[in-house]
Amino acid sequence: MRLTHIAAGLCIAAGAVQTQAATISVEITNATHSIHFTPILAVAHTEANHLFRLGEEASDGLQMMAEGGSIDGLLTLADSIGADTVANPAEGLLAPGAMTTIASWDTGDADRLSIVAMLLPTNDGFVGLDSWQIPSEPGTYTLTLNGYDAGTEANDELIVDGSGEPGTPGIPANPSGNSGTMGTGVTSEESNTTVHIHRGNVGDTMVEGGASDLDSRIHRWLNPVAKVTITVH
């Protein structure tokens, strides 16, 4: 079984794992201290397709999701390739420590699973699972997912209302409401414009001013950022 861009542990007996259409249940847990996930998109698809790929430029749909939390563009992409989707299973934001479940999902002819959601507060960070091979062997499979940077926006770490539109600098919101104000910006450029592992928020400890509007004691995070448990029935 191939695991792409994630760390994973298998909670089944060792043995050959083959793939075919399956009915699965998926539990997604936000494993961060203070980062929220925007509406999650889970997609069951074929091997030839991806929602994102490490080291490649983000699609317009991925940029839309990573900068503003909208999954509409990726839903359009998924529909165009005949994928099966579950959109927004948490019915809104998934808070730190919270879990959402997709129960008894018939994936049809699809043999790959991808999952994405924006990380808030970040400029263009997202949690992602890229084209994980769905086993046909019944059992429970536990994965840990990393946070990625879409490479489409500089990580200035400034909270700016209305900045969720693609190409508009700034973090659109901080759901916890514990950010600072009047930051000058951690950086104004992004040297890596492809999808890459996120560095995590830098932050500072100033309520007003400083480089960042984020609090380094609250919003700093390291990978992994999510736990996903997949049960193949």
Side-chain angles (χ1 to χ4, degrees), residues 36-171:
H36 285 71
F37 298 171
T38 62
I40 295 165
L41 178 62
V43 180
H45 56 89
T46 60
E47 182 179 7
N49 299 295
H50 297 263
L51 297 186
F52 72 95
R53 301 196 77 171
L54 192 66
E56 297 186 5
E57 290 190 356
S59 66
D60 291 344
L62 186 73
Q63 180 180 7
M64 184 186 301
M65 182 277 301
E67 292 187 19
S70 172
I71 57 176
D72 290 347
L74 292 177
L75 275 170
T76 299
L77 172 63
D79 288 343
S80 73
I81 61 175
D84 194 71
T85 60
V86 176
N88 196 16
E91 299 183 348
L93 299 177
L94 188 67
M99 180 185 72
T100 188
T101 301
I102 302 169
S104 299
W105 180 13
D106 184 352
T107 58
D109 295 329
D111 62 355
R112 295 294 191 276
L113 175 65
S114 294
I115 299 171
V116 292
M118 182 187 182
L119 301 173
L120 275 179
T122 69
N123 289 86
D124 61 341
F126 67 98
V127 57
L129 173 65
D130 173 33
S131 195
W132 182 73
Q133 187 171 338
I134 301 172
S136 61
E137 184 73 24
T140 300
Y141 302 77
T142 300
L143 317 177
T144 54
L145 307 190
N146 286 329
Y148 295 91
D149 191 311
T152 58
E153 180 178 312
N155 295 333
D156 60 17
E157 298 188 11
L158 302 180
I159 307 292
V160 180
D161 289 341
S163 62
E165 292 296 320
T168 304
I171 297 171

Side-chain angles (χ1 to χ4, degrees), residues 17-35:
V17 178
Q18 300 176 344
T19 61
Q20 62 182 24
T23 298
I24 63 175
S25 295
V26 183
E27 294 181 352
I28 303 169
T29 301
N30 181 338
T32 71
H33 169 66
S34 60
I35 303 299

